[in-house]
Amino acid sequence: MAAQRRVVILYQNGLFGAGLRRLLSAEPDIQVVGTVPIGPQMGAVVRGLAPDVVLVDRAIDPKSLRDPSGKGHGSGPRVICLTLEENQMDVLDSQYRPSPNVDDLLEAIRSALCAVPSPEALTQTHD
Amino acid sequence: MWKLERIRVLLVDDHELFRRGVKSLLTAEPDIEVVGEAHNGREALAKAQELMPDLVLMDISMPEINGLEATRRVKQAMPYVKILILTVSDLEQNLFEAIKAGAQGYLLKNVDPDHLLDAVRKAYHGEAAISGGLAAKILTEFARRDAQPAHTGRESLGAREIDVLRELSRGASNKEIAATLCISENTVRNHVKNILAKLHLDNRVQAAAYAIREGITSDPTEGPR
């Protein structure tokens, strides 16, 4: 059975967040583990949920999701920015795509696990 | 056999992920049916004429024909259709243009899902649906304008219609107006239709703005300025 991708949705627009959650919940290999409003607490909440992918409905600096103390594991989740005003998808570790559709989004989520392996994952591979 | 009356909705937005998300929210409701989708204003007009929806959820910023122009054209071709603008733009200019074009409501995309569902149902039943602070912007703007001779006759309104208009100016629903004036909701609905027709207005928001401009309000401090 394929590994489940754990997804957190960060939203500024509640409608977009709720709609994405419902869309993704129909996918058996994707689990939305949290829907969190954008704000000062989001970094801590995301780290606590430890997702593979963070979807966010506006451009953000992925550093804002990292532990300010520098602790943490690996490279962190893949961050996919889906901006409403410009209608574009920006996958922060790889690609940019204007006018994304549902398949584009699913592909970006599903490819997250093999996109940027964390140092821990690499170590485990060699063990 | 009893059959649920479903609100038939056409979704118009060029942002596919947003549109599909909203569709999934709407289709989960037993009284709402998404009958079609369009990704620009031109397609919206064609789909509206083909599908005859009860209500159109319309984005503003779209390629080819934007949502404001599409609203104007759809209302011109099919005056019965209710149009709810759903946009990220809180610009007053867009808000006023949308109302002038005949939109029944104006919602920002940061509304929560329950608010959207409530707005769809309200608009379908002829009530105005405006996001939070935007309603105040409309009333303030219209109230601020110089008093001008009415382009249509206030004198054409009967006494009861003036009473209803006064209640509309404070944002009352049909149910609230019915309770205040001790008449049925059906009667209120008919009064509202008559008021809109006599004043050549498109919806209750315009009627409320008209009432404030004309000084037909329950608050004696409000009126023409």
Side-chain angles (χ1 to χ4, degrees), chain A residues 25-60:
Chain A
S25 66
E27 302 299 321
D29 59 336
I30 294 174
Q31 182 188 10
V32 179
V33 294
T35 311
V36 182
I38 289 176
Q41 301 304 317
M42 66 184 181
V45 176
V46 167
R47 287 192 298 278
L49 293 167
D52 302 304
V53 176
V54 172
L55 293 181
V56 55
D57 69 354
R58 70 163 209 215
I60 62 161

Side-chain angles (χ1 to χ4, degrees), chain A residues 63-96:
Chain A
K63 287 178 190 158
S64 64
L65 303 178
R66 293 190 188 142
D67 190 335
S69 70
K71 296 175 187 169
H73 302 287
S75 54
R78 165 173 278 191
V79 178
I80 302 175
C81 297
L82 300 160
T83 54
L84 264 187
E85 289 190 49
E86 289 84 19
N87 190 9
Q88 61 194 23
M89 179 171 82
D90 202 353
V91 184
L92 296 185
D93 59 18
S94 55
Q95 56 176 306
Y96 161 83

